[in-house]
Amino acid sequence: MTDRRRYGFGALVLGAAALALVGCSSQPGGTATPTHTVTATTTPAAGSGTASPSSAAPGGSSTPGSGSGSADPAAPADGGTASGAGTCTVASLTGSITFGGGGGAGSQYRNLALRNTGSTACTLQGWPGVSFVGGGNGRQLGAAASLDRGSAHPTVTLAPGATAYAALRVVQAANSEPGACTAVTPDGFRVYPPGSKQALFVPFTDDEACTETSVHLLSVRAFVPEGQQEQG
């Protein structure tokens, strides 16, 4: 091959190579990386979602002081106050019964008192679940207390050592329909704080209860702060 032909062939090869390089440079980086589309989701605002039920009715029976039973507590309208205090739990409460005022023929009011024995403030709001228990084994006597929903039901913030009160109306067992009530002396009350599925035992033997769970002797108002309770 002559020098001129060799030169012409070499130029042709170099030209083709240059065109190939130009073609490659039109797609920087080679094969393109696939693009992934991400859809952002919105986190629900605090407090959204399915509402919790307004009441609970734990079943079964318990020995005095344990956390199960068949009273019908009402859940609180809210879980605390703007101060951030949480709802009072059985672990930080002790109960007692004091004498109240009012009542009427064949009945009288007691005050169910719950004291905050914890080291931080907590709140109670609404109606407790209350029933007579007896027999030394936590057996429920009579029907659980009905809830007097016509009463005030403020959120009560309890500082450590403070007490809230719920008025408890007790109908005398002797006023029951003839033959409907087998009267016995109870050991006390099983009490569910508002919204709680755990109960505490409050000893009290000054009233009579009925063994039949169909007999209604009790009704209870919502908790109020100290100073607003029924006065004896």
Side-chain angles (χ1 to χ4, degrees), residues 16 38 53 67 76 83 137 169 184 190 198 200 204 207 226:
V38 179
S83 65
N137 59 3
R169 182 172 180 261
V184 294
R190 180 162 47 234
Q198 292 185 313
L200 50 87
F204 193 75
D207 292 315
E226 188 167 6

Side-chain angles (χ1 to χ4, degrees), residues 29-120:
T31 304
T33 303
T35 301
H36 297 280
T37 302
V38 179
T39 303
T41 58
T42 303
T43 303
S48 63
T50 304
S52 55
S54 61
S55 65
S61 61
S62 64
T63 55
S66 68
S68 62
S70 55
D72 183 15
D78 56 59
T81 64
S83 65
T87 302
C88 298
T89 65
V90 167
S92 63
L93 295 170
T94 58
S96 60
I97 299 293
T98 64
F99 292 95
S107 67
Q108 66 182 94
Y109 277 104
R110 313 295 193 190
N111 281 313
L112 168 62
L114 292 185
R115 179 174 177 268
N116 179 10
T117 57
S119 59
T120 60

Side-chain angles (χ1 to χ4, degrees), residues 16-32:
L19 288 174
L21 289 174
V22 170
C24 290
S25 65
S26 65
Q27 297 182 11
T31 304

Side-chain angles (χ1 to χ4, degrees), residues 91-187:
S92 63
L93 295 170
T94 58
S96 60
I97 299 293
T98 64
F99 292 95
S107 67
Q108 66 182 94
Y109 277 104
R110 313 295 193 190
N111 281 313
L112 168 62
L114 292 185
R115 179 174 177 268
N116 179 10
T117 57
S119 59
T120 60
C122 63
T123 64
L124 290 173
Q125 199 277 335
W127 296 258
V130 183
S131 60
F132 279 123
V133 292
N137 59 3
R139 180 170 62 93
Q140 181 172 318
L141 303 173
S146 60
L147 308 181
D148 180 355
R149 294 191 179 275
S151 60
H153 49 282
T155 297
V156 182
T157 300
L158 295 179
T163 302
Y165 295 85
L168 180 65
R169 182 172 180 261
V170 183
V171 175
Q172 294 177 6
N175 287 347
S176 301
E177 292 292 329
C181 172
T182 303
V184 294
T185 299
D187 296 326

